[in-house]
Amino acid sequence: DSFLRDTLVPTVLQLLPGFLLGGAAILSFEAQLLLTASYRSSGLEAVVTRESCEFSMSVPSAILYILALALFLFGSAESLIFAVAANLFLMLLPGFLLIGARSLLVLSLRLQGGGTVLVVLILGLLCCNFIGGLLVLSLWGASGTALLPLRERLMRQSGQNGQ
């Protein structure tokens, strides 16, 4: 009884905004998918653009997520900074999980024989340590998003030098 009152209730109250906004992000993404599916089924394919079907997160949100994850994992649980970092982490987690899963799916489809090995390794990680697997998958998505401008710049430079 005292454990619940002294430890669990304050922690849940601190993390409640992150849980609520993370859940709202998931519901809004599913609503967007339902809307585009209803447009397609009613014959309004012209309304459905590529941008409306593509899910992306910004580079500043990726950097913020990586910093919040580091503070969440290595910070002191009694500080205000921990509460803010944990809420940011929970708010951005669903988006970067989706981006990380999509990125690994694309990578495994591009690799001819190595794609199955990659999928088996990820599934093994999720079976052995589910929370750790989710953290790795979301960090994969966030780091890919954060490094996207650098990758595009290098591709442009190599394309100009090669011509």
Side-chain angles (χ1 to χ4, degrees), residues 7 10-11 14-15 71-84 86:
T7 307
T11 304
Q14 283 180 348
L15 299 180
L71 286 172
F72 176 72
L73 290 177
F74 303 115
S76 171
E78 287 89 28
S79 68
L80 180 64
I81 294 174
F82 174 80
V84 171

mmCIF file of all heavy atoms in Angstrom, residues 7 10-11 14-15 71-84 86:
data_model
loop_
_atom_site.group_PDB
_atom_site.id
_atom_site.type_symbol
_atom_site.label_atom_id
_atom_site.label_comp_id
_atom_site.label_asym_id
_atom_site.label_seq_id
_atom_site.Cartn_x
_atom_site.Cartn_y
_atom_site.Cartn_z
ATOM 1 N N THR A 7 5.604 5.423 -4.463
ATOM 2 C CA THR A 7 6.461 5.210 -5.623
ATOM 3 C C THR A 7 5.698 5.180 -6.937
ATOM 4 O O THR A 7 6.023 5.916 -7.870
ATOM 5 C CB THR A 7 7.248 3.894 -5.467
ATOM 6 O OG1 THR A 7 7.911 3.911 -4.217
ATOM 7 C CG2 THR A 7 8.252 3.724 -6.576
ATOM 8 N N PRO A 10 3.139 8.578 -7.992
ATOM 9 C CA PRO A 10 3.817 9.778 -8.531
ATOM 10 C C PRO A 10 4.470 9.537 -9.895
ATOM 11 O O PRO A 10 4.449 10.417 -10.756
ATOM 12 C CB PRO A 10 4.877 10.098 -7.478
ATOM 13 C CG PRO A 10 4.403 9.474 -6.232
ATOM 14 C CD PRO A 10 3.640 8.252 -6.661
ATOM 15 N N THR A 11 5.012 8.351 -10.101
ATOM 16 C CA THR A 11 5.639 8.054 -11.391
ATOM 17 C C THR A 11 4.607 8.020 -12.500
ATOM 18 O O THR A 11 4.828 8.576 -13.583
ATOM 19 C CB THR A 11 6.388 6.713 -11.319
ATOM 20 O OG1 THR A 11 7.322 6.771 -10.249
ATOM 21 C CG2 THR A 11 7.114 6.420 -12.615
ATOM 22 N N GLN A 14 3.509 11.503 -13.301
ATOM 23 C CA GLN A 14 4.524 12.233 -14.064
ATOM 24 C C GLN A 14 4.517 11.833 -15.535
ATOM 25 O O GLN A 14 4.745 12.655 -16.413
ATOM 26 C CB GLN A 14 5.916 11.968 -13.492
ATOM 27 C CG GLN A 14 6.232 12.707 -12.244
ATOM 28 C CD GLN A 14 7.635 12.388 -11.757
ATOM 29 O OE1 GLN A 14 8.284 11.453 -12.242
ATOM 30 N NE2 GLN A 14 8.108 13.158 -10.787
ATOM 31 N N LEU A 15 4.265 10.551 -15.813
ATOM 32 C CA LEU A 15 4.350 10.049 -17.179
ATOM 33 C C LEU A 15 3.014 10.057 -17.916
ATOM 34 O O LEU A 15 2.963 9.697 -19.090
ATOM 35 C CB LEU A 15 4.922 8.627 -17.168
ATOM 36 C CG LEU A 15 6.321 8.485 -16.587
ATOM 37 C CD1 LEU A 15 6.766 7.037 -16.640
ATOM 38 C CD2 LEU A 15 7.310 9.373 -17.298
ATOM 39 N N LEU A 71 18.651 10.647 -21.628
ATOM 40 C CA LEU A 71 18.320 11.150 -20.290
ATOM 41 C C LEU A 71 17.390 10.206 -19.544
ATOM 42 O O LEU A 71 17.494 10.032 -18.335
ATOM 43 C CB LEU A 71 17.677 12.538 -20.382
ATOM 44 C CG LEU A 71 18.614 13.678 -20.708
ATOM 45 C CD1 LEU A 71 17.821 14.957 -20.973
ATOM 46 C CD2 LEU A 71 19.613 13.885 -19.593
ATOM 47 N N PHE A 72 16.479 9.570 -20.274
ATOM 48 C CA PHE A 72 15.553 8.620 -19.663
ATOM 49 C C PHE A 72 16.287 7.383 -19.149
ATOM 50 O O PHE A 72 16.007 6.880 -18.069
ATOM 51 C CB PHE A 72 14.485 8.225 -20.685
ATOM 52 C CG PHE A 72 13.517 7.187 -20.207
ATOM 53 C CD1 PHE A 72 12.560 7.503 -19.257
ATOM 54 C CD2 PHE A 72 13.561 5.903 -20.710
ATOM 55 C CE1 PHE A 72 11.664 6.553 -18.810
ATOM 56 C CE2 PHE A 72 12.674 4.953 -20.271
ATOM 57 C CZ PHE A 72 11.721 5.270 -19.322
ATOM 58 N N LEU A 73 17.247 6.906 -19.930
ATOM 59 C CA LEU A 73 17.964 5.690 -19.541
ATOM 60 C C LEU A 73 19.009 5.935 -18.462
ATOM 61 O O LEU A 73 19.222 5.090 -17.595
ATOM 62 C CB LEU A 73 18.636 5.069 -20.767
ATOM 63 C CG LEU A 73 17.702 4.448 -21.798
ATOM 64 C CD1 LEU A 73 18.516 3.954 -22.992
ATOM 65 C CD2 LEU A 73 16.882 3.330 -21.205
ATOM 66 N N PHE A 74 19.667 7.106 -18.501
ATOM 67 C CA PHE A 74 20.793 7.324 -17.610
ATOM 68 C C PHE A 74 20.570 8.423 -16.576
ATOM 69 O O PHE A 74 21.473 8.725 -15.806
ATOM 70 C CB PHE A 74 22.053 7.650 -18.425
ATOM 71 C CG PHE A 74 22.391 6.572 -19.417
ATOM 72 C CD1 PHE A 74 22.336 6.829 -20.779
ATOM 73 C CD2 PHE A 74 22.747 5.304 -18.990
ATOM 74 C CE1 PHE A 74 22.639 5.845 -21.694
ATOM 75 C CE2 PHE A 74 23.052 4.317 -19.903
ATOM 76 C CZ PHE A 74 22.996 4.583 -21.254
ATOM 77 N N GLY A 75 19.376 9.035 -16.553
ATOM 78 C CA GLY A 75 19.121 10.126 -15.617
ATOM 79 C C GLY A 75 18.584 9.638 -14.281
ATOM 80 O O GLY A 75 18.183 8.487 -14.118
ATOM 81 N N SER A 76 18.575 10.516 -13.326
ATOM 82 C CA SER A 76 18.044 10.230 -11.997
ATOM 83 C C SER A 76 16.522 10.329 -12.035
ATOM 84 O O SER A 76 15.958 11.294 -12.538
ATOM 85 C CB SER A 76 18.604 11.237 -10.991
ATOM 86 O OG SER A 76 17.956 11.100 -9.754
ATOM 87 N N ALA A 77 15.850 9.320 -11.500
ATOM 88 C CA ALA A 77 14.391 9.237 -11.578
ATOM 89 C C ALA A 77 13.684 10.276 -10.717
ATOM 90 O O ALA A 77 12.487 10.470 -10.861
ATOM 91 C CB ALA A 77 13.937 7.842 -11.189
ATOM 92 N N GLU A 78 14.366 10.936 -9.817
ATOM 93 C CA GLU A 78 13.719 11.916 -8.943
ATOM 94 C C GLU A 78 13.760 13.335 -9.490
ATOM 95 O O GLU A 78 13.194 14.237 -8.898
ATOM 96 C CB GLU A 78 14.360 11.903 -7.546
ATOM 97 C CG GLU A 78 14.005 10.685 -6.724
ATOM 98 C CD GLU A 78 14.960 9.534 -6.950
ATOM 99 O OE1 GLU A 78 16.128 9.795 -7.279
ATOM 100 O OE2 GLU A 78 14.525 8.382 -6.824
ATOM 101 N N SER A 79 14.411 13.575 -10.589
ATOM 102 C CA SER A 79 14.582 14.945 -11.070
ATOM 103 C C SER A 79 13.467 15.334 -12.041
ATOM 104 O O SER A 79 12.794 14.499 -12.636
ATOM 105 C CB SER A 79 15.938 15.105 -11.755
ATOM 106 O OG SER A 79 15.976 14.359 -12.949
ATOM 107 N N LEU A 80 13.300 16.632 -12.200
ATOM 108 C CA LEU A 80 12.322 17.165 -13.140
ATOM 109 C C LEU A 80 12.771 16.911 -14.581
ATOM 110 O O LEU A 80 11.937 16.674 -15.455
ATOM 111 C CB LEU A 80 12.130 18.662 -12.892
ATOM 112 C CG LEU A 80 11.139 19.374 -13.787
ATOM 113 C CD1 LEU A 80 9.744 18.827 -13.564
ATOM 114 C CD2 LEU A 80 11.175 20.858 -13.540
ATOM 115 N N ILE A 81 14.062 16.939 -14.811
ATOM 116 C CA ILE A 81 14.598 16.676 -16.154
ATOM 117 C C ILE A 81 14.233 15.264 -16.602
ATOM 118 O O ILE A 81 13.897 15.034 -17.758
ATOM 119 C CB ILE A 81 16.125 16.902 -16.185
ATOM 120 C CG1 ILE A 81 16.421 18.371 -15.943
ATOM 121 C CG2 ILE A 81 16.727 16.437 -17.492
ATOM 122 C CD1 ILE A 81 17.878 18.697 -15.817
ATOM 123 N N PHE A 82 14.270 14.316 -15.672
ATOM 124 C CA PHE A 82 13.883 12.947 -15.990
ATOM 125 C C PHE A 82 12.420 12.885 -16.405
ATOM 126 O O PHE A 82 12.081 12.197 -17.374
ATOM 127 C CB PHE A 82 14.120 12.020 -14.789
ATOM 128 C CG PHE A 82 13.617 10.629 -15.010
ATOM 129 C CD1 PHE A 82 14.358 9.723 -15.741
ATOM 130 C CD2 PHE A 82 12.394 10.229 -14.490
ATOM 131 C CE1 PHE A 82 13.886 8.441 -15.957
ATOM 132 C CE2 PHE A 82 11.924 8.951 -14.695
ATOM 133 C CZ PHE A 82 12.676 8.054 -15.430
ATOM 134 N N ALA A 83 11.555 13.575 -15.704
ATOM 135 C CA ALA A 83 10.126 13.558 -16.030
ATOM 136 C C ALA A 83 9.872 14.158 -17.411
ATOM 137 O O ALA A 83 9.098 13.610 -18.208
ATOM 138 C CB ALA A 83 9.332 14.300 -14.969
ATOM 139 N N VAL A 84 10.532 15.254 -17.716
ATOM 140 C CA VAL A 84 10.378 15.886 -19.032
ATOM 141 C C VAL A 84 10.921 14.970 -20.128
ATOM 142 O O VAL A 84 10.285 14.762 -21.168
ATOM 143 C CB VAL A 84 11.071 17.262 -19.055
ATOM 144 C CG1 VAL A 84 11.110 17.839 -20.456
ATOM 145 C CG2 VAL A 84 10.379 18.214 -18.101
ATOM 146 N N ALA A 86 11.315 11.709 -20.013
ATOM 147 C CA ALA A 86 10.481 10.513 -20.127
ATOM 148 C C ALA A 86 9.206 10.814 -20.903
ATOM 149 O O ALA A 86 8.765 9.996 -21.725
ATOM 150 C CB ALA A 86 10.148 9.975 -18.737
#
